[in-house]
Amino acid sequence: MEDERKAGVSGLFEAVHGGDEDAVVRLLRAGVPGEVCDTDGESALYRAAMCDEPGIVRLLLAAGADPDKLSSGTDLPLCGAACGGHAEVVRALLSAGARADGVEQGGWRALTWAVQLGHEAVVRALLDGGADPRLPGPSGELPLVVAARRGSTGCVRALLEQGAAGREEALAEARRWLGVDVAERLREGLVASVPDGASREAVVQRFPEDGGVTVVVELLDATGRPTSGNHQQTGHAAIATLLEADLGVPTPAAELADRAVRCGDPDNDDWIEAMEVLRRRGDDATFRAAAAWCVDREPLRRAFAADVLGQLGSPGPGGVRPFARRAFPSLRRMARRGNTAAGAGAAAGAGAGAGAGAGAESGAGAETGTGAGAESGTGAGAGAGSGAGDESGAEGPSWFELRSIIGAFGQSTDPAAVPEVIRFAGHTHPEVRRAVALALHGLTGGVPGAAGDSGDDSAAVDALLALTRDTDPGVRTWAAAALAGTGADTPRVRAALAALLDDPRDDVAAEAARGLAVRQDARAVDTLARLLACATPGDYARDVAQDGARALTDVRVRNRLEWTLPRRS
């Protein structure tokens, strides 16, 4: 009997380690208890939590495993899951009654582990489950301070949303890391922790993730095998910006721009948080600073300027932002700087619109000069004035500048932005063409001549028709979405949308079907039915297909589609 019990326990641990839920069910039904430990005292629940097996965790909990029992007398399952970043396991344990602030050996809580390692999803799950963000960790430091040191912007956001304490201390910690070479700091720590560390080769890797970059440093032995390592996120600038805004600290616009440019990536949190703070300010000083950056010699700073100008201030009536009209000339000058072959080639189909805009350039220049001139008392203003002259014969904007400039045009709601956007519809970089399609999605709905029955001959619709045939699926998706929303209803528009119904990308097909459904074109029905049946619930394509079905006025067809259940959930 004892041998059978041992065999059952051993089999359960093997099943847990292998992720075999069926075997776990069989063993539990055969009498192996859910609350069981191996010869070392490790509990099956703890191992399942460490192995990221939420289904097995739920089975063991249902079979009587105690979610708060220490494994080997030292380790909590919730802490093990938090340490590994296993958010679904954390939620399963909390749902079964695990104490969110339970303490294991050494005074560690699950929240401490999660912020120490930058696991945002786990932090949010713990906070939702009742974890107290004001409780210090074993060293006496508050979770917010630990998250700031880690450089995890997501963890800091989650903690701030739940009223975490220690904001001033966390800000000081984030600022302490500004400008620090994280990789070198990690390497120095590893070298100091190993007797012969100074003689070992260090390998550095950088992984873009979680809105920033995670730096991983490993020391290698003589055979090239990693023997020790450490990792850290690098969102300290974004964290400082978040905390300054939360505490009401008025960070100078130039410093925020420096933080954005230093990260070198418009999709990085350092860039996004700096832009968001300036956007919310929405004052004349911020506008003048951004206008000056438009003629900076640094391409990234010019791109940041466009992002700021495109979203500066809160939208007023009709969605118009307060600085949109004043920002337009600066954006146009940026877009037309130099002699871009790609832009010029793309303008062939929109030459009339682009040419009309060019005639207004002289007046725009005066306004741009006024904006930059207002900064003449500062270093930025002087640089902007000289930069404008130096740039006159310069090469055209880089693709990432154009992406920001076109995005800003798309935010303007000004019909005059349309010809500026479509000049780049044939650009060689897909990110630029995608920006064009996305901008037109926002612009064409209210642009005279780009919507309605007469809209088929408009330059905007012509550009969208071409973009629906693009090789990039993202471009086709946004082009189809924009074309669907223009209001243009002609045979050419319907034919372009119908040609996308069999697109290999469901997102593209869904937007095309929605566009036809809005126009009450029966060709949309079969594609809508297919997507509603086959697309995964919650996916973009299925959500768009549902919108398309609701747009149909034929009640019988609409009812049939709305009652189409997914074949796989």
Side-chain angles (χ1 to χ4, degrees), residues 21 49 52-58 61 78 81-82 85-95 121-122 125:
E21 291 189 29
D52 194 17
E53 295 290 347
I56 294 177
V57 165
R58 293 187 178 97
L61 290 167
L78 189 65
H86 308 323
E88 189 176 350
V89 173
V90 166
R91 288 191 290 269
L93 290 165
L94 292 170
S95 296
V122 171

Side-chain angles (χ1 to χ4, degrees), residues 399-499:
W399 72 263
F400 58 83
E401 284 180 79
L402 283 174
R403 184 177 67 169
S404 295
I405 295 165
I406 293 166
F409 280 136
Q411 295 280 343
S412 71
T413 71
D414 187 344
V418 173
E420 302 302 324
V421 169
I422 62 178
R423 291 178 67 239
F424 300 98
H427 196 277
T428 57
H429 202 291
E431 288 282 354
V432 175
R433 302 196 303 276
R434 202 173 303 165
V436 170
L438 181 56
L440 291 177
H441 182 267
L443 286 168
T444 51
V447 176
D453 291 343
S454 63
D456 190 43
D457 60 354
S458 75
V461 171
D462 283 343
L464 288 172
L465 288 168
L467 289 170
T468 61
R469 300 187 296 273
D470 199 275
T471 57
D472 183 88
V475 176
R476 295 199 304 277
T477 299
W478 283 113
L483 195 60
T486 61
D489 189 9
T490 65
R492 291 179 66 214
V493 169
R494 291 196 182 202
L497 293 172

Side-chain angles (χ1 to χ4, degrees), residues 80-145:
C83 186
H86 308 323
E88 189 176 350
V89 173
V90 166
R91 288 191 290 269
L93 290 165
L94 292 170
S95 296
R99 290 179 294 121
D101 290 320
V103 181
E104 65 178 9
Q105 188 180 56
W108 288 78
R109 295 182 177 86
L111 187 60
T112 313
W113 281 114
V115 296
Q116 180 97 358
L117 296 168
H119 297 316
E120 178 190 355
V122 171
V123 170
R124 292 189 178 277
L126 289 166
L127 293 172
D128 290 343
D132 189 344
R134 297 165 298 179
L135 293 177
S139 63
E141 288 187 311
L142 293 165
L144 190 61
V145 177

Side-chain angles (χ1 to χ4, degrees), residues 465 468 480 483 490-503 508-509 511-517 519 521-524 527:
L465 288 168
T468 61
L483 195 60
T490 65
R492 291 179 66 214
V493 169
R494 291 196 182 202
L497 293 172
L500 296 175
L501 293 176
D502 294 323
D503 194 278
V508 179
E511 289 289 4
R514 182 178 66 87
L516 290 172
R519 292 161 175 80
D521 191 310
R523 287 175 289 184
T527 299

Side-chain angles (χ1 to χ4, degrees), residues 159-224:
L159 291 164
L160 287 175
E161 290 167 7
Q162 296 296 323
R167 303 183 184 206
E168 293 85 356
E169 298 94 321
L171 175 56
E173 186 66 28
R175 284 175 168 173
R176 190 170 69 83
W177 282 88
L178 293 179
V180 171
D181 186 334
V182 172
E184 181 59 23
R185 182 68 62 85
L186 292 177
R187 190 196 68 81
E188 291 172 353
L190 289 171
V191 167
S193 68
V194 179
D196 61 342
S199 64
R200 296 196 181 189
E201 179 185 358
V203 175
V204 179
Q205 293 178 288
R206 291 176 172 85
F207 300 98
E209 57 188 10
D210 300 329
V213 175
T214 299
V215 176
V216 179
V217 180
E218 294 178 312
L219 293 184
L220 308 182
D221 64 15
T223 68

Side-chain angles (χ1 to χ4, degrees), residues 14 90 131 157 204 314 343:
E14 289 178 7
V90 166
R157 285 197 196 99
V204 179
S314 299

